[in-house]
Amino acid sequence: MKRIPWVRAAAVGVCASIALAVPAVAAHQATPDAPDTPAAVTTPATADPATLPHGPATPPPGQVNPSPGPVKRSKGVTQEDIRKAQELERYWTPERIRTAVPVDAVRAGEAAQAPLRAPHAAGRNALFAPSHQVASGIPTVGVFLIRSEDGSATPNQFCSAGAVTSPTKSLVLTAAHCLKGGKSYRNVAFVPGYRGGASKAGEPGERPYGLFPMELGKVWIDERYLSSSPSDDVDFAVLRVGPNAQGRLLEDAIGRGNTLTTVPAAKLARREVTLTGYPGGQKTPLQCTNATRAFQGRFMEIACDGFRTGVSGGPFLEGFDGSRGNLVGAIGGYKTGGLHDNISYSSQFDNDVLRLYHQAVADAAPDTVNPLGSATTWEHGTSFVTGRFHSDSVRNSSSDLIVRWSDGEVSLYPGNRAYGLGKDIQLLKDKAWKQAKALTVGEFTGNSTDDLLVSWADGKLILYKDVNETNRLNNSIQLKGPNGTWTHAVSLTAGRFGGGNARRDDLVVRWSDAEMTLYSNVDGRGLHAEKQLAKRKNSTWSHARDSVAGNFAAAAGDQDLFVRWSDGKVTVYENLGAKGFTGEHRLRPAKSAWQYGRLVTAGAFGGGTRPDDLVALWPGGKLVMYGDTTAGALGRERLLVPARIS
């Protein structure tokens, strides 16, 4: 939303395939003999500019006016497609388009926030560039029309948007906040080259290329923006439109669209960028050219006068020739585009926008709301353990994650067997669990469902038997009552460490004096054989932070111990029971980024039943999985929850 300091967290997360009552239109692919056909997209995000390949090397100058004679229908367009576009045109009369109000203004009114924005930002006046109206319109820039179905007094709303060249010839890019409001819409359309006011004889009308209906469910928005606390780093949306009432695909009607271009964070400051958009009450595009600068290292900022409410989604264009250019941004991002009408922002166009583009080109399934929630939640995680708990995971020999939170709540996140986690199940919420000092998981009672072993601040050692979505934490066995010895237990790590059977019932304990102890074959009756792995007051193990069991060096058999150290070193001790600490493999050296890690555990979350997938919590609530980690290398990084943006 442009220029309105509304509280984004109040927006309700919705699926990227937004409930829009626009009939679905089949995907239309460019044909070899069609004019201005763009090439395939393969551009990396590190080029400067990392432009995507496009059509003719010399783009046609000026706008492409519709032919006065019969218009040739694009290949693959059906009569039903045309009927749907005609139906859309019957609703969006010229009068309705002229009186449509900015989406931003409607939401500001709902939030009872006024004024909409300050008319000018104070200071830095020398940087502000003048703007001018483009009475003839711009073929690749248009109004993005939305009919709200929420009973609003002003249901006809709009944002700005730009056409994007693609093999489908049917893609448009706008700001994600134009479509993410937790409401249903219908009659959504893109009107390229829109120009308000009456036309003179021989000139194209207000809608020179017609209206292009948005196809049902064909909206690609990053899942981080769909959350209840949208990430302003990804305030952009790619959508696909159907043909107009003349049966023409978007790029067959307007010529080649703008070329999506990625911009490295180090090069957000650009020498000459043209900003365009449709301010409320004007319906004629506003244009301004100025240098951009980096803002907070992740936004592009430009100072152009007069870009008031309504311009959200308007493109930042580099190399603009009057009709099209390289699309390097869209008004949105910081404060949903800015709080003043002479300062505008865009989220950085990096691999995130490129990913959405590729999804749209391939007609891939859009993102959905992240079931794991936001980083704000994960910052409160205090303990991680993994095991087979959920009935589905027990059947498939895969892992789930249990998290103990700072308020005493304990949650179970079922694994999805595809290196991800599902929505949480609350096992318990009790402030007393703040006193749980160390947690681990093993097969202590011999059943297929795993058990949770907890040492408490008062020295109690309690085994919670057969934890699952039904039993939760209701079956407890006290192995030790309050005592002075186990108050010194700093960490517990259960695994299969050579106890003479195939169960994960051996327990490694790290004590406050750095002693390391191995207890073999722990069960519901208590602790048994004890073996010292490291002596008291040694100079090494006081620096250990996380230690977890897994199969990193071998696919099966006795397990290895993964350790994260305070200096950032990461180590795997192969076959701990047999080799002790002699079979060391170093995955990360001292002073690596792992010194800033918070929690880590290991399980089987994808690619088989081998527990070699690490789940790590980082500062800012960032949650990452490193699938298929070995004793020689960390696995591929998969982002589960992005870090909180401060």
Side-chain angles (χ1 to χ4, degrees), residues 377-382 403-411 413:
T377 297
W378 286 89
E379 285 184 300
H380 297 284
T382 56
V403 182
R404 193 270 305 259
W405 306 96
S406 59
D407 63 355
E409 183 177 0
V410 181
S411 301
Y413 289 86

Side-chain angles (χ1 to χ4, degrees), residues 396-399 417-419 555 603-613 628:
N396 295 293
S397 296
S398 57
S399 295
R417 288 177 287 146
Y419 302 101
F605 293 100
T609 60
R610 176 177 176 173
D612 58 1
D613 307 314
D628 305 315

Side-chain angles (χ1 to χ4, degrees), residues 352-363:
D352 293 325
V353 72
L354 199 60
R355 181 179 70 85
L356 298 183
Y357 173 88
H358 284 303
Q359 283 183 331
V361 168
D363 198 26

Side-chain angles (χ1 to χ4, degrees), residues 497-518:
F497 296 127
N501 59 43
R503 284 169 29 194
R504 291 174 292 110
D505 59 359
D506 308 314
L507 180 67
V508 174
V509 181
R510 178 164 58 90
W511 304 91
S512 59
D513 62 1
E515 182 182 7
M516 297 286 286
T517 304
L518 172 63

Side-chain angles (χ1 to χ4, degrees), residues 288-603:
C288 163
T289 300
N290 202 356
T292 66
R293 67 178 221 161
F295 181 74
Q296 295 185 352
R298 55 195 179 92
F299 301 108
M300 186 178 288
E301 176 190 285
I302 192 169
C304 284
D305 280 330
F307 278 76
R308 58 185 182 272
T309 305
V311 298
S312 284
F316 285 59
L317 297 170
E318 194 170 49
F320 182 61
D321 67 0
S323 295
R324 54 191 51 80
N326 296 326
L327 182 60
V328 295
I331 297 174
Y334 177 71
K335 302 298 183 182
T336 55
L339 299 178
H340 305 280
D341 66 5
N342 55 359
I343 299 289
S344 298
Y345 298 92
S346 170
S347 301
Q348 181 193 347
F349 273 24
D350 54 11
N351 278 333
D352 293 325
V353 72
L354 199 60
R355 181 179 70 85
L356 298 183
Y357 173 88
H358 284 303
Q359 283 183 331
V361 168
D363 198 26
D367 290 4
T368 56
V369 178
N370 191 341
L372 303 182
S374 69
T376 304
T377 297
W378 286 89
E379 285 184 300
H380 297 284
T382 56
S383 298
F384 275 12
V385 290
T386 56
R388 297 189 297 264
F389 304 111
H390 196 279
S391 53
D392 288 341
S393 300
V394 172
R395 283 194 297 269
N396 295 293
S397 296
S398 57
S399 295
D400 310 309
L401 177 71
I402 284 181
V403 182
R404 193 270 305 259
W405 306 96
S406 59
D407 63 355
E409 183 177 0
V410 181
S411 301
L412 168 65
Y413 289 86
N416 65 7
R417 288 177 287 146
Y419 302 101
L421 301 169
K423 184 172 174 53
D424 66 300
I425 299 169
Q426 187 184 79
L427 299 181
L428 170 143
K429 189 169 185 177
D430 185 344
K431 291 182 179 179
W433 274 74
K434 293 181 180 181
Q435 301 302 311
K437 196 170 181 182
L439 292 72
T440 193
V441 170
E443 301 171 271
F444 302 113
T445 59
N447 297 327
S448 54
T449 304
D450 282 344
D451 314 305
L452 181 67
L453 183 63
V454 181
S455 66
W456 294 82
D458 62 359
K460 289 197 303 283
L461 192 63
I462 298 181
L463 181 65
Y464 295 87
K465 181 181 176 182
D466 298 339
V467 177
N468 61 27
E469 70 272 26
T470 303
N471 297 335
R472 302 184 189 253
L473 296 169
N474 292 321
N475 300 333
S476 62
I477 302 171
Q478 182 170 287
L479 302 185
K480 288 188 177 294
N483 64 87
T485 299
W486 281 81
T487 58
H488 295 285
V490 174
S491 74
L492 309 178
T493 307
R496 189 170 53 251
F497 296 127
N501 59 43
R503 284 169 29 194
R504 291 174 292 110
D505 59 359
D506 308 314
L507 180 67
V508 174
V509 181
R510 178 164 58 90
W511 304 91
S512 59
D513 62 1
E515 182 182 7
M516 297 286 286
T517 304
L518 172 63
Y519 295 91
S520 299
N521 303 329
V522 176
D523 57 26
R525 294 170 297 172
L527 307 177
H528 305 296
E530 179 180 356
K531 175 184 178 181
Q532 188 181 65
L533 299 178
K535 295 181 179 180
R536 297 173 56 192
K537 298 182 180 179
N538 66 80
S539 60
T540 300
W541 284 92
S542 60
H543 299 288
R545 289 298 174 263
D546 298 297
S547 56
V548 296
N551 287 92
F552 306 107
D558 290 342
Q559 292 187 304
D560 316 308
L561 189 70
F562 175 98
V563 182
R564 181 182 69 88
W565 302 91
S566 60
D567 63 356
K569 185 169 61 176
V570 175
T571 303
V572 167
Y573 293 98
E574 181 181 351
N575 195 351
L576 178 70
K579 297 184 178 181
F581 300 127
T582 61
E584 180 179 357
H585 300 265
R586 185 171 298 183
L587 302 186
R588 286 290 184 272
K591 298 184 180 180
S592 79
W594 282 76
Q595 65 186 305
Y596 305 113
R598 291 187 52 202
L599 299 170
V600 65
T601 188

Side-chain angles (χ1 to χ4, degrees), residues 115-335:
L116 294 181
R117 63 187 181 282
H120 297 286
R124 300 173 52 222
N125 290 327
L127 294 179
F128 299 145
S131 303
H132 65 276
Q133 294 185 25
V134 184
S136 60
I138 302 169
T140 61
V141 181
V143 289
F144 182 58
L145 300 171
I146 300 169
R147 178 184 176 186
S148 173
E149 291 206 305
D150 63 347
S152 169
T154 53
N156 299 324
Q157 302 165 19
F158 78 95
C159 272
S160 300
V164 182
T165 191
S166 78
T168 71
K169 307 177 83 172
S170 301
L171 298 187
V172 175
L173 189 144
T174 188
H177 69 259
C178 290
L179 285 168
K180 184 192 175 297
K183 300 175 181 178
S184 60
Y185 304 104
R186 64 180 301 184
N187 297 117
V188 180
F190 178 57
V191 188
Y194 183 81
R195 49 191 296 276
S199 303
K200 297 179 181 178
E203 288 186 347
E206 291 179 277
R207 305 173 299 182
Y209 309 101
L211 282 76
F212 296 81
M214 196 193 80
E215 296 185 0
L216 180 64
K218 303 306 179 183
V219 182
W220 288 268
I221 299 176
D222 194 292
E223 65 180 27
R224 289 167 287 176
Y225 205 86
L226 295 170
S227 71
S228 58
S229 299
S231 170
D232 52 13
D233 274 347
V234 287
D235 187 6
F236 33 67
V238 179
L239 53 108
R240 195 175 72 205
V241 294
N244 62 14
Q246 288 72 46
R248 299 281 282 171
L249 297 179
L250 177 61
E251 289 189 83
D252 285 341
I254 68 171
R256 179 171 53 81
N258 298 304
T259 303
L260 183 62
T261 304
T262 56
V263 179
K267 296 186 177 180
L268 288 165
R270 320 291 285 187
R271 182 173 298 176
E272 187 174 283
V273 171
T274 297
L275 188 67
T276 61
Y278 286 81
Q282 186 168 298
K283 297 301 193 311
T284 299
L286 195 65
Q287 179 178 315
C288 163
T289 300
N290 202 356
T292 66
R293 67 178 221 161
F295 181 74
Q296 295 185 352
R298 55 195 179 92
F299 301 108
M300 186 178 288
E301 176 190 285
I302 192 169
C304 284
D305 280 330
F307 278 76
R308 58 185 182 272
T309 305
V311 298
S312 284
F316 285 59
L317 297 170
E318 194 170 49
F320 182 61
D321 67 0
S323 295
R324 54 191 51 80
N326 296 326
L327 182 60
V328 295
I331 297 174
Y334 177 71
K335 302 298 183 182

